[in-house]
């Protein structure tokens, strides 16, 4: 009976270790990503401010300016789901009001809202 209980506890512990895979290995600080099209009417996995907040800060709430923007990762928080903070690679502000935005890395890449820059894909294939 003790051996069965020990085997059960060991299998649960091993399963728990496998469930905590690190998705931050996919990208690192300084990598470039491309923002794709939203999955619906608006971006679900990229934390875009609401239009009234953009207007209050003096910006222009034109969501089409995000599409095909090349962004650089500035911070990765690895608590739970990896949340990335990114800025535009050309130095401009998002909506002429925000320097950085955040996104849920795993779901944004999985849904196609963000993707790796083509230049980095070629380097990964070479290495």
């Amino acid at each position: 009976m003790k051996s069965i209980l020990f085997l059960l506890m060991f299998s649960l512990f091993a399963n728990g270790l496998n469930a905590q895979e690190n998705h931050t290995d996919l990208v690192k600080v300084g990598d470039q990503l491309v923002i794709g099209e939203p999955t619906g009417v608006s971006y679900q996995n990229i934390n875009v401010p609401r239009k009234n907040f953009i207007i209050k800060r003096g910006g222009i709430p034109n969501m089409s300016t995000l599409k095909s923007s090349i962004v650089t990762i500035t911070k990765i928080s690895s608590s739970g789901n990896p949340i990335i903070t990114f800025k535009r690679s050309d130095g401009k502000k998002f909506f002429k009001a925000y320097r950085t935005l955040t996104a849920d890395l795993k779901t944004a890449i999985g849904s196609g809202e963000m993707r790796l820059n083509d230049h980095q894909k070629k380097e990964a294939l070479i290495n």
Side-chain angles (χ1 to χ4, degrees):
M1 182 68 178
K2 287 182 182 181
S3 62
I4 294 174
L5 183 62
F6 178 75
L7 183 62
L8 179 65
M9 293 298 287
F10 178 76
S11 64
L12 288 175
F13 178 75
N15 188 24
L17 287 178
N18 287 337
Q20 296 177 0
E21 50 183 276
N22 193 0
H23 295 287
T24 58
D25 294 339
L26 185 61
V27 293
K28 59 183 180 290
V29 174
D31 283 353
Q32 291 185 340
L33 300 172
V34 178
I35 298 178
E37 293 188 22
T39 54
V41 176
S42 62
Y43 289 95
Q44 302 295 318
N45 303 307
I46 299 174
N47 298 325
V48 178
R50 294 191 324 211
K51 289 183 180 183
N52 62 331
F53 290 126
I54 296 170
I55 293 169
K56 284 181 183 179
R57 292 190 64 174
I60 302 170
N62 186 1
M63 296 299 160
S64 65
T65 59
L66 288 180
K67 184 181 168 189
S68 300
S69 295
I70 298 175
V71 297
T72 304
I73 298 173
T74 58
K75 180 181 173 186
I76 300 175
S77 69
S78 59
S79 59
N81 286 341
I83 304 293
I84 59 169
T85 304
F86 55 90
K87 65 178 182 177
R88 287 180 62 154
S89 295
D90 57 6
K92 296 179 182 178
K93 293 181 181 180
F94 294 103
F95 312 112
K96 296 186 179 181
Y98 293 92
R99 290 225 180 264
T100 61
L101 293 178
T102 60
D104 184 0
L105 177 64
K106 180 181 173 184
T107 56
I109 290 178
S111 67
E113 289 183 0
M114 295 186 96
R115 63 182 187 274
L116 292 174
N117 197 357
D118 292 332
H119 178 68
Q120 288 180 332
K121 286 182 188 177
K122 290 177 186 175
E123 287 180 5
L125 290 174
I126 292 171
N127 295 332

